């Protein structure tokens, strides 16, 4: 997810540009328009709530401790955030909640005051994100965010749901534009979320990531930008839907009812989209004779397999082969990412082979003596 860029020990930046009212650091308070946001996980049945907070004093200490430990694990993983050493607990709590944060918890929660001690947060807490100015002073109406998905929430659609909550709440906090400064291109799941939510790739930082999983090369990072307050949906086209929408359509076709939390507009979109899709007995979603693939990991696996079976053909040919049997949004982008990764790994393998061969070559001999 988007990475922390500034010094966690630096003074807090507050929004002082854009439309008033501006937040008062001495009396932090939520805008009246921001309330706990009920969401439904990827299984379309489990209810969770994204709870808004404006101060670390509102959050139970044990929950803050759990989030701090989860963030430390993410840092130690070495693939998503640029820091090398984890933050001490005190710095984490002060940084993560210096302006505003949302925390996703299981169940229906009506108020931040209802979040109290006595819970097993490893089961109850699914993730968190903060919102803060990306720049100081006259540009502080442009915001940034950092996201954290916990161990209990992997592959449950939590990242996407927090992204939607961010787009809902950021403009209500007075921000007009969002910038994510550093999203490593190897973080495919995160890139898929921001692409699907209407963010634009406004820049690229070449070779800025020395990540643990890629010790032999420097990884590029993408800079994402997006106007806030505009619709993040799929434009009303039932044929161009995101991963989240695919899952909702599958649920609607399978159970003959709407997912929990669907409003009138969502129900209308599902009825319209369902006329284009068919759900087979083995839970495979089909669109005009093509299998719909919603899982980004499986998308990458299919692209890699067909690329290799096609004799490592180019982007256009591999995309065409995939499109004959499968459907998902932005197939060409997936193929491009796969081919780039394969070529990079091939180059690394060749370099290692050459280096190994050189290390094992016998030393040249002159008159019975090795040249040293």
């Amino acid at each position: 997810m988007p990475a922390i860029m500034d010094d966690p020990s630096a003074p807090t930046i507050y929004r002082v540009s854009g439309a008033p009212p501006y937040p008062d650091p001495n009396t932090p308070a939520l805008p009246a328009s921001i309330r706990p946001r009920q969401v439904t996980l990827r299984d379309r049945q489990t209810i969770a709530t994204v709870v808004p907070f404006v101060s670390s004093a509102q959050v139970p200490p044990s929950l803050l401790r759990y989030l701090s430990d989860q963030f430390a694990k993410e840092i130690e993983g070495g693939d998503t955030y640029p820091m090398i050493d984890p933050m001490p607990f005190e710095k984490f709590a002060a940084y993560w909640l210096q302006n505003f944060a949302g925390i996703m918890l299981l169940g229906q929660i009506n108020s931040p005051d209802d979040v109290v001690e006595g819970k097993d947060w490893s089961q109850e807490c699914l993730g968190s994100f903060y919102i803060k100015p990306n720049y100081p002073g006259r540009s502080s109406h442009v915001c940034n965010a950092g996201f954290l998905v916990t161990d209990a929430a992997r592959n449950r659609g939590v990242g996407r749901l927090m992204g939607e909550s961010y787009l809902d709440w950021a403009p209500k906090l007075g921000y007009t534009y969002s910038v994510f400064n550093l999203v490593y291109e190897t973080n495919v799941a995160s890139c898929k979320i921001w692409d699907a939510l209407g963010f634009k790739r406004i820049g690229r930082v070449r070779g800025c990531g020395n990540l643990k999983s890629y010790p032999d090369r420097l990884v590029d990072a993408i800079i994402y930008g997006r106007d806030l307050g505009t619709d993040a949906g799929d434009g009303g086209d039932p044929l161009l839907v995101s991963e989240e929408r695919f899952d909702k359509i599958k649920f609607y076709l399978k159970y003959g009812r709407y997912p929990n939390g669907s409003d009138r507009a969502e129900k209308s979109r599902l009825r319209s989209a369902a006329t284009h899709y068919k759900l087979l007995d083995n839970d495979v979603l089909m669109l005009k004779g093509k299998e719909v693939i919603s899982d980004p990991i499986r998308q990458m696996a299919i692209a890699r397999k067909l690329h290799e079976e096609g004799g490592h053909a180019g982007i256009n040919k591999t995309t065409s082969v995939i499109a004959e049997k499968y459907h998902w949004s932005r197939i060409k982008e997936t193929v491009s990412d796969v081919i780039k990764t394969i070529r990079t790994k091939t180059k690394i393998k060749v370099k290692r082979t050459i280096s190994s061969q050189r290390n094992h070559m016998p030393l040249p001999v002159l008159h019975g003596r090795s040249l040293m």
Side-chain angles (χ1 to χ4, degrees):
M1 303 298 264
I4 288 174
M5 292 292 296
D6 54 348
D7 180 1
S9 63
T12 299
I13 298 173
Y14 295 99
R15 186 178 70 83
V16 293
S17 63
Y22 305 122
D24 182 354
N26 297 316
T27 56
L30 284 171
S33 58
I34 295 182
R35 297 188 53 79
R37 194 170 186 268
Q38 185 176 303
V39 296
T40 309
L41 301 189
R42 181 172 289 164
D43 62 8
R44 313 314 324 155
Q45 300 184 69
T46 303
I47 298 296
T49 305
V50 188
V51 185
F53 296 93
V54 290
S55 168
S56 60
Q58 294 179 291
V59 185
S62 62
L63 176 53
L64 282 175
R65 178 70 67 177
Y66 174 69
L67 287 171
S68 177
D69 292 344
Q70 288 288 294
F71 189 63
K73 288 181 64 175
E74 193 71 24
I75 299 304
E76 290 166 355
D79 285 332
T80 55
Y81 283 87
M83 295 90 78
I84 294 176
D85 298 320
M87 289 186 196
F89 170 68
E90 294 76 14
K91 286 188 176 181
F92 169 82
Y95 185 88
W96 203 263
L97 284 112
Q98 61 181 298
N99 271 268
F100 175 93
I103 301 177
M104 186 186 291
L105 303 169
L106 283 178
Q108 184 171 343
I109 300 170
N110 297 318
S111 167
D113 295 335
D114 295 338
V115 181
V116 295
E117 293 282 8
K119 301 283 187 178
D120 180 358
W121 301 120
S122 66
Q123 300 298 318
E124 299 288 330
C125 181
L126 305 178
S128 180
F129 65 93
Y130 66 76
I131 305 176
K132 69 178 186 65
N134 194 57
Y135 310 107
R138 299 183 187 279
S139 297
S140 57
H141 56 282
V142 176
C143 66
N144 173 255
F147 293 78
L148 176 66
V149 176
T150 66
D151 291 340
R154 304 295 177 183
N155 302 312
R156 302 177 75 180
V158 167
R160 167 67 185 247
L161 292 169
M162 289 198 297
E164 292 176 353
S165 298
Y166 169 65
L167 290 177
D168 179 18
W169 286 344
K172 294 175 181 177
L173 291 167
Y175 299 107
T176 61
Y177 193 83
S178 170
V179 172
F180 295 156
N181 304 291
L182 194 69
V183 183
Y184 296 123
E185 65 175 357
T186 49
N187 190 350
V188 176
S190 184
C191 290
K192 286 279 187 182
I193 290 173
W194 307 128
D195 289 335
L197 289 178
F199 285 79
K200 304 299 182 185
R201 299 186 178 203
I202 61 175
R204 177 177 288 268
V205 186
R206 299 287 181 183
C208 76
N210 183 13
L211 308 184
K212 273 194 175 181
S213 294
Y214 303 87
D216 298 307
R217 70 178 175 101
L218 295 176
V219 173
D220 289 0
I222 298 165
I223 303 173
Y224 279 98
R226 190 192 192 282
D227 287 313
L228 297 174
T230 56
D231 185 15
D234 54 45
D237 185 347
L239 303 182
L240 296 174
V241 292
S242 64
E243 177 188 359
E244 178 77 6
R245 296 282 293 139
F246 285 143
D247 291 337
K248 289 181 178 180
I249 292 168
K250 182 182 288 188
F251 182 89
Y252 178 73
L253 291 174
K254 183 174 182 178
Y255 297 105
R257 56 188 175 88
Y258 302 109
N260 289 334
S262 298
D263 58 19
R264 181 178 298 178
E266 179 67 35
K267 292 176 180 178
S268 177
R269 287 194 294 268
L270 284 173
R271 289 194 300 270
S272 175
T275 63
H276 298 272
Y277 293 84
K278 180 180 180 181
L279 188 64
L280 304 182
D281 292 338
N282 54 357
D283 259 9
V284 172
L285 187 64
M286 303 293 293
L287 172 64
K288 295 184 177 180
K290 301 176 184 180
E291 182 179 353
V292 175
I293 309 298
S294 62
D295 179 14
I297 303 302
R298 192 173 171 216
Q299 292 171 3
M300 298 285 283
I302 290 172
R304 185 178 296 106
K305 179 176 182 290
L306 294 183
H307 173 64
E308 292 173 347
E309 289 180 353
H312 295 269
I315 294 175
N316 290 336
K317 186 174 181 180
T318 303
T319 300
S320 177
V321 171
I322 292 172
E324 291 177 0
K325 296 178 59 179
Y326 302 101
H327 172 78
W328 67 79
S329 300
R330 299 181 177 88
I331 292 177
K332 191 170 184 177
E333 288 184 15
T334 305
V335 172
S336 178
D337 291 341
V338 165
I339 291 178
K340 185 174 182 180
T341 301
I342 290 175
R343 287 175 178 172
T344 300
K345 289 183 178 179
T346 300
K347 289 179 182 178
I348 292 172
K349 186 176 181 180
V350 169
K351 287 180 181 178
R352 286 176 174 172
T353 301
I354 293 173
S355 176
S356 177
Q357 290 174 345
R358 286 175 177 171
N359 291 336
H360 289 85
M361 286 178 64
L363 293 170
V365 176
L366 181 63
H367 300 303
R369 292 187 179 182
S370 298
L371 294 178
M372 302 297 289

